[in-house]
Amino acid sequence: MAESAAPLLATLRTIVGDANVLTAENDVAPFSTDWRDRYRGRPRAVVRPATTAQLAASVRCCAEHAVPMVPQGGNTSLCGGATPHEGGHEVIVSLTRMNRVRAIDVENATMTVEAGATLSSVQQAAADAGLMFPLSLAAEGSCAIGGNLSTNAGGTAVLRFGNARELVLGLEVVLADGRVWNGLRGLRKDNTGYDLKQLFLGSEGTLGIISAAVLKLFPKARTSTTAFAALAEVGDAIALLGLLRQTLGDRLTGFELISAECIELTRREFPAVPDPLPGHRWYVLAQADDPALNSSLGALFESALSEAIESGVAQDATIAQSDAQAAELWALRENIPEAQRREGPNIKHDISLPVSSIPSFLDEASAQLDAAFPGVRYVTFGHLGDGNLHYNLAPPAGVPGEEFLDQAPRANRVVYDLVARFGGSFSAEHGIGQLKRDELERYRPAIEIELMRAIKRALDPQQLLNPGKVL
Ligand SMILES: Cc1cc2nc3c(=O)[nH]c(=O)nc-3n(C[C@H](O)[C@H](O)[C@H](O)COP(=O)(O)OP(=O)(O)OC[C@H]3O[C@@H](n4cnc5c(N)ncnc54)[C@H](O)[C@@H]3O)c2cc1C
């Protein structure tokens, strides 16, 4: 251990207790690498506070020693956002012990929860109170609400409820010098100056450490319908989206595009998952929810799908007849990332585009990529209703994954240049982290970068919070 680390670690131990300052290699290992195993860091220690007071004191201690900190929730970031660098200087601040639901106000439809609570525990607490928290993503059993808010996570219900940013009314944040900003207000209207919480939402731990949040809750869905449709073209999926929106209004909560390759991939790795409509090129998984019990939702959904089949927009469709069948359909979608991980390295693109330009983008992108990487395999899926595609590239048959991964910069350039040309974003959901820092510089106007740097300097003048991430 470097000499200078001893007083820091001694103070951290007095704050959180010996057992919650980890330094042994085996103990810090799970915190030091990312979910995709692409980044491996070496932290000076992992500190695990259990309360906001302990968190604030730990941050103050690190700031006094000028030690950089890496906030970490569930460590499911897909862009190395929560992984420390290799230098051995940084302290990982793990929020997982701060996982209490502090309060639920049913009449105000709000929950005050600590940052380290897993997303699934937040959903469950809302359900236990007879309400619903709509943020939902495949990592929900592991990711933490603080991580979700710090990355402005999206997921499968953005179409109806918006990104994580739109689900927050108030925040409590530990600032870079250890001071605590208590902005835990449960108000839907509050025009009193700058909306400070927006600075921290989506800032990936670079401006402050979120310790707790007031979340918006919604009426529980008492009627749900999940359908799976087979289509010939992506353009048909967009037509189906318009048709379902027209018929179901904002009861349409999710609209996911899945390519035939994704279904094959998922079923190779998870053979128990059914293949309800084999033999088509594209699929859509759509869900609609209604808080009313005696809703006509199912009948409306069915008539919209019949109309889609009659008009040639859809080739076939099936509606889940039970919760278990709906879960099976969702398993087809939600197991894609894990199936991809099991099959080895691939080049990921988490992009967003105006929905209307997605078919042209896909045509142009595949023409350019086929020419540059003959035999490249496309793993295309995503939240089509939000214009968000996971446009991932798997190696041509016979090409080792690691070798293909070396081509990532070239492939990224083709994809991101096209995305920029179509007015899209090179990072729709996953953020910037350390993976896409250079892309931010490249694709965002200089004035935006300048404003971001000014905000960073104002809130973290010593540059101690998650250095080397985002900017
Ligand atoms: C299988 C799988 C599916 C996924 N699907 C989606 C999806 O559909 N939509 C989507 O948006 N993302 C998705 N993700 C990405 C990831 O799960 C989300 O970004 C999630 O919000 C990260 O939460 P986390 O707690 O794991 O954060 P971490 O990975 O621990 O951290 C993420 C970032 O937030 C910062 N951070 C964490 N906690 C705090 C805090 N309390 N205060 C300040 N900064 C903090 C970290 O420093 C880091 O920069 C998926 C990931 C996986 C593995």
Side-chain angles (χ1 to χ4, degrees), residues 203-449:
S203 69
E204 301 184 45
T206 61
L207 299 179
I209 304 186
I210 296 173
S211 48
V214 182
L215 306 175
K216 283 186 201 171
L217 303 180
F218 296 82
K220 227 183 205 171
R222 289 194 286 178
T223 311
S224 288
T225 304
T226 302
F228 194 64
L231 311 150
E233 311 273 352
V234 173
D236 294 337
I238 295 170
L240 182 61
L241 175 66
L243 183 62
L244 290 180
R245 273 187 148 158
Q246 185 61 43
T247 312
L248 302 167
D250 70 0
R251 287 176 293 182
L252 185 64
T253 44
F255 191 91
E256 301 285 313
L257 179 75
I258 308 175
S259 70
E261 290 86 350
C262 292
I263 304 281
E264 270 169 41
L265 169 77
T266 305
R267 296 196 70 251
R268 252 196 324 272
E269 296 298 326
F270 299 91
V273 176
D275 185 5
L277 304 172
H280 299 274
R281 179 71 199 86
W282 292 97
Y283 297 89
V284 158
L285 176 63
Q287 178 165 327
D289 299 291
D290 194 331
L293 246 190
N294 297 316
S295 152
S296 52
L297 190 70
L300 283 173
F301 211 143
E302 208 172 322
S303 75
L305 288 174
S306 304
E307 191 183 327
I309 292 172
E310 275 162 32
S311 62
V313 163
Q315 297 185 322
D316 203 353
T318 177
I319 290 187
Q321 298 304 316
S322 64
D323 290 351
Q325 268 183 20
E328 279 180 351
L329 291 177
W330 274 103
L332 268 174
R333 161 66 183 87
E334 291 191 330
N335 284 316
I336 300 170
E338 179 57 27
Q340 247 197 314
R341 181 162 87 141
R342 290 185 188 180
E343 296 225 333
N346 53 82
I347 301 175
K348 287 194 190 306
H349 302 104
D350 163 41
I351 54 177
S352 70
L353 294 148
V355 173
S356 47
S357 57
I358 286 178
S360 311
F361 165 82
L362 287 174
D363 286 347
E364 286 201 37
S366 61
Q368 291 190 27
L369 291 164
D370 285 344
F373 307 101
V376 65
R377 290 172 299 142
Y378 300 92
V379 182
T380 306
F381 62 103
H383 317 296
L384 187 80
D386 317 322
N388 177 191
L389 289 183
H390 298 307
Y391 187 64
N392 300 338
L393 308 177
V399 174
E402 292 300 339
E403 198 177 292
F404 184 61
L405 217 48
D406 290 343
Q407 305 296 321
R410 268 177 66 216
N412 292 165
R413 199 56 56 235
V414 170
V415 173
Y416 295 151
D417 280 358
L418 257 185
V419 165
R421 186 147 70 69
F422 280 96
S425 165
F426 64 88
S427 184
E429 288 197 313
H430 299 158
I432 303 297
Q434 45 188 312
L435 179 67
K436 296 185 187 163
R437 221 178 36 190
D438 296 344
E439 311 295 356
L440 189 76
E441 293 266 357
R442 187 182 185 100
Y443 293 107
R444 284 283 163 263
I447 191 165
E448 282 185 29
I449 305 289

